[in-house]
Amino acid sequence: MKNRRLIVEAFGGPEVVRVVTDASAPPPGVGEVRIRVEASSLVFTDMLIRRDLYPVMELKLPLTLGYDLIGRVDAVGEGVTAFSPGDRVADLTQIGANADYACRPAEGLVAVPDGLDAVQAEPLILSYLTAYQSLLRFGKAARGDTVLIYGASGGVGLAALDLCRAMGINAVGVASAKREALIRGYGARFVAYDNANAARQLDQIAREIGGFAAILDPARGERLGIVLARLKPGGRFVAAGFSAALRRAKGQFTGLAGLIGKIGFGLQFLTIKIKAARSRKTGRVAFYDISETRQKNPNWFREDLTALFGMLSESAIHPLVEGVFKIDEAAEAHRRIEAGDVQGRLVMDLSDK
Ligand SMILES: NC(=O)c1ccc[n+]([C@@H]2O[C@H](COP(=O)([O-])OP(=O)(O)OC[C@H]3O[C@@H](n4cnc5c(N)ncnc54)[C@H](OP(=O)(O)O)[C@@H]3O)[C@@H](O)[C@H]2O)c1
């Protein structure tokens, strides 16, 4: 039973990813199941891990990439009673899921309906869950509200637009000008960040509607004070990532330029965390972290992901999978992610199909 894995032995660009083949799959430990992976992540966050730019986790080399997975249990470790071989499950792994097999604690797994296509359902774990919990749990957005979504053409942003459409929440999406038709296709208003009037247009919309009920920001492209002024009283700002700063770096993550970039990126992260700590009581500013949220509220992870699988089963949501890659094609997927050449999501297909 061979086990292919996508590994990183030295941090760096897309060229550092490599496929290794182990002679056998690892056995599950106590309380674990082994999963035959069907589909796994190829996302911006995998790129951050590959470059050692991921601020919320200490990374040790060599590592296997892969932030999440869908697959079937194929072996059960001692003490596991909740799952049996053949059960279909999903998990958030942070690393380790770009592989044929992964051993995971049974405790945290979420059941996946048999009828769902693994490649279509995989974006629900990291991208959709981030959008769902940022909008609803942290942003408290509700039907009829108007929300602002930065990075609206990416994995998280497009998931947010899809969820808004399904839930009757009005959305304004911010992305580059070439994504206008895509974003308007979700019934959202559109503002291009690469247009000199972007800030004025967003201020104008905020004035028209009396401020946004929630702002979801996985990009962090504008000054925080400017963005917060667009909230309505009681509105909530939820940051989730820094794709704007990382995009601007254009692959310059080494040498002096890289160091300056990393310091700037770290300062942005720290500023949001401090503001979030100060507004803990009101919830006005939050930094959403999917793993921390899961750790603090394991039930939310199970309930919300189950709700998302239900929505997909009923065709209430429609993840946009722009590209499907086999494990030996992963370097090309990483190149596209790093170049910002993706609408929606790329997915790794590990099935035998
Ligand atoms: N905190 C968490 O738990 C969590 C969970 C998931 C993801 N994330 C983070 O969230 C971020 C986004 O992830 P993703 O998977 O959605 O990335 P992605 O697919 O690469 O999308 C990035 C988006 O940002 C947009 N963008 C780039 N520069 C911008 C700017 N100056 N202003 C507004 N939008 C801009 C891009 O638009 P164009 O393509 O049109 O340029 C694109 O829509 C990443 O930093 C990721 O690590 C965090």
Side-chain angles (χ1 to χ4, degrees):
M1 189 190 287
K2 289 197 172 135
N3 183 32
R4 294 167 303 164
R5 295 182 292 121
L6 187 72
I7 66 159
V8 171
E9 291 165 307
F11 295 116
E15 69 286 352
V16 303
V17 303
R18 193 163 80 78
V19 180
V20 290
T21 305
D22 305 329
S24 62
V30 176
E32 287 186 342
V33 301
R34 185 174 64 207
I35 300 162
R36 170 68 182 94
V37 180
E38 295 175 79
S40 176
S41 70
L42 283 169
V43 283
F44 195 87
T45 312
D46 294 322
M47 182 279 274
L48 295 183
I49 291 172
R50 166 174 48 72
R51 284 211 176 261
D52 196 20
L53 291 169
Y54 193 50
V56 294
M57 192 179 169
E58 200 194 328
L59 298 167
K60 292 202 181 91
L61 293 173
L63 60 82
T64 303
L65 287 169
Y67 211 94
D68 62 20
L69 61 81
I70 284 187
R72 282 193 192 275
V73 173
D74 94 316
V76 170
E78 200 185 314
V80 175
T81 52
F83 293 98
S84 313
D87 288 349
R88 204 155 187 232
V89 293
D91 201 3
L92 187 83
T93 56
Q94 295 188 299
I95 55 172
N98 288 167
D100 289 316
Y101 293 90
C103 290
R104 300 291 306 161
E107 201 184 18
L109 301 176
V110 177
V112 179
D114 271 334
L116 291 181
D117 178 74
V119 164
Q120 277 299 306
E122 183 278 333
L124 304 194
I125 310 167
L126 174 62
S127 305
Y128 271 68
L129 192 65
T130 294
Y132 186 94
Q133 295 192 325
S134 298
L135 277 173
L136 305 178
R137 298 273 188 194
F138 288 75
K140 305 279 183 209
R143 181 174 290 277
D145 281 345
T146 301
V147 302
L148 176 57
I149 313 288
Y150 286 91
S153 62
V156 174
L158 215 54
L161 290 188
D162 196 17
L163 289 166
C164 285
R165 181 174 59 178
M167 294 177 166
I169 297 168
N170 306 306
V172 177
V174 180
S176 60
K178 62 179 181 288
R179 316 284 195 203
E180 177 164 4
L182 172 77
I183 282 162
R184 290 197 190 278
Y186 285 77
R189 291 175 77 172
F190 174 75
V191 173
Y193 68 76
D194 47 356
N195 162 350
N197 290 322
R200 231 172 302 144
Q201 285 174 9
L202 288 168
D203 289 343
Q204 172 65 30
I205 295 172
R207 271 196 300 277
E208 258 172 44
I209 63 168
F212 292 98
I215 298 177
L216 168 54
D217 192 352
R220 284 288 46 249
E222 287 190 293
R223 281 219 343 264
L224 190 57
I226 293 176
V227 177
L228 294 182
R230 297 183 187 129
L231 283 173
K232 74 176 191 186
R236 288 164 173 243
F237 169 81
V238 187
F242 301 92
S243 38
L246 292 158
R247 245 341 152 68
R248 274 196 294 267
K250 290 199 169 73
Q252 287 300 310
F253 298 111
T254 53
L256 184 61
L259 183 66
I260 292 169
K262 277 186 191 173
I263 292 170
F265 168 64
L267 284 176
Q268 273 202 36
F269 182 60
L270 204 64
T271 308
I272 299 273
K273 292 290 268 186
I274 291 168
K275 288 222 187 280
R278 284 193 186 140
S279 68
R280 193 165 285 147
K281 279 201 180 126
T282 62
R284 185 164 182 266
V285 176
F287 183 84
Y288 174 83
D289 175 334
I290 193 167
S291 298
E292 187 185 74
T293 304
R294 178 189 191 177
Q295 215 174 0
K296 286 187 180 162
N297 309 280
N299 289 343
W300 288 5
F301 182 76
R302 209 166 302 120
E303 284 165 27
D304 296 350
L305 201 47
T306 302
L308 287 168
F309 288 135
M311 290 174 85
L312 184 62
S313 299
E314 289 160 13
S315 298
I317 50 176
H318 306 273
L320 176 64
V321 177
E322 208 203 15
V324 182
F325 292 79
K326 294 288 187 187
I327 193 166
D328 53 0
E329 301 165 333
E332 174 56 20
H334 273 249
R335 249 174 241 118
R336 283 188 55 188
I337 291 165
E338 195 152 317
D341 177 26
V342 182
Q343 298 190 145
R345 278 291 315 277
L346 305 181
V347 175
M348 182 179 290
D349 177 5
L350 287 140
S351 70
D352 290 327
K353 278 184 282 177

